[in-house]
Amino acid sequence: MIAAGTGIWLNNCLGEQELNPPGRAVAPGSRLLSNMAPVVGRHDDGSTLAIGSPGADRITTAVVSALAGFVNGGLDLDDAVAHPRVHVHRAGLPDEEVRREEGLSMYFGGVGAALTRADGSLEAVADPRRDGEARVVGVSPRPGPSGRR
């Protein structure tokens, strides 16, 4: 649902069983959990990464998996986003289950990422698990320290 006249998509977590086990029977005035995790990080060299994912309780594991592969795993951004994932389903509950991705599955989220490198060049990546697409169009790098592009 979009709030009239705003273009803002309202949070729909009432139906997310992972975040709201009681379902739609939440008491009025109760605070709902939300598992949104848009992340923006900046490196000392000036590069900036924006990354996020839809996917209910898989958002966190999808984003962390891609970040780990890119930041510490030696993967380029495209490979880090496409890398197989692991998710702990119903963590901490008696029926907890570790699920390992075998073949790309939308169940494991759909990471989108944009990177501005220190030299001003841009890279955008869409998760192959989803139907989205990322493209950099008509952008020239920002001027470097010398003022040149």
Side-chain angles (χ1 to χ4, degrees):
M1 172 179 270
I2 296 181
T6 67
I8 296 172
W9 197 327
L10 300 176
N11 190 331
N12 68 347
C13 288
L14 274 175
E16 296 290 352
Q17 293 178 353
E18 299 91 350
L19 301 177
N20 183 22
R24 301 192 191 285
V26 175
S30 296
R31 181 174 289 235
L32 291 175
L33 294 174
S34 179
N35 203 9
M36 297 184 295
V39 175
V40 177
R42 187 177 181 113
H43 192 276
D44 290 342
D45 69 5
S47 59
T48 304
L49 175 69
I51 188 168
S53 175
D57 70 333
R58 277 109 38 221
I59 291 172
T60 307
T61 51
V63 171
V64 168
S65 294
L67 277 172
F70 180 67
V71 174
N72 292 324
L75 299 176
D76 64 25
L77 190 56
D78 195 47
D79 289 339
V81 168
H83 197 269
R85 299 185 183 138
V86 173
H87 175 71
V88 180
H89 180 69
R90 301 185 56 81
L93 298 175
D95 58 346
E96 176 180 289
E97 177 187 353
V98 177
R99 296 183 177 177
R100 290 173 180 82
E101 185 177 34
E102 297 176 19
L104 297 178
S105 168
M106 193 167 71
Y107 171 84
F108 289 89
V111 174
L115 175 66
T116 303
R117 298 191 186 282
D119 67 2
S121 63
L122 300 174
E123 180 179 355
V125 175
D127 201 315
R129 292 165 184 84
R130 304 259 175 151
D131 290 334
E133 186 173 323
R135 198 179 285 180
V136 176
V137 180
V139 178
S140 61
R142 66 175 183 248
S146 67
R148 293 191 307 253
R149 290 189 181 258

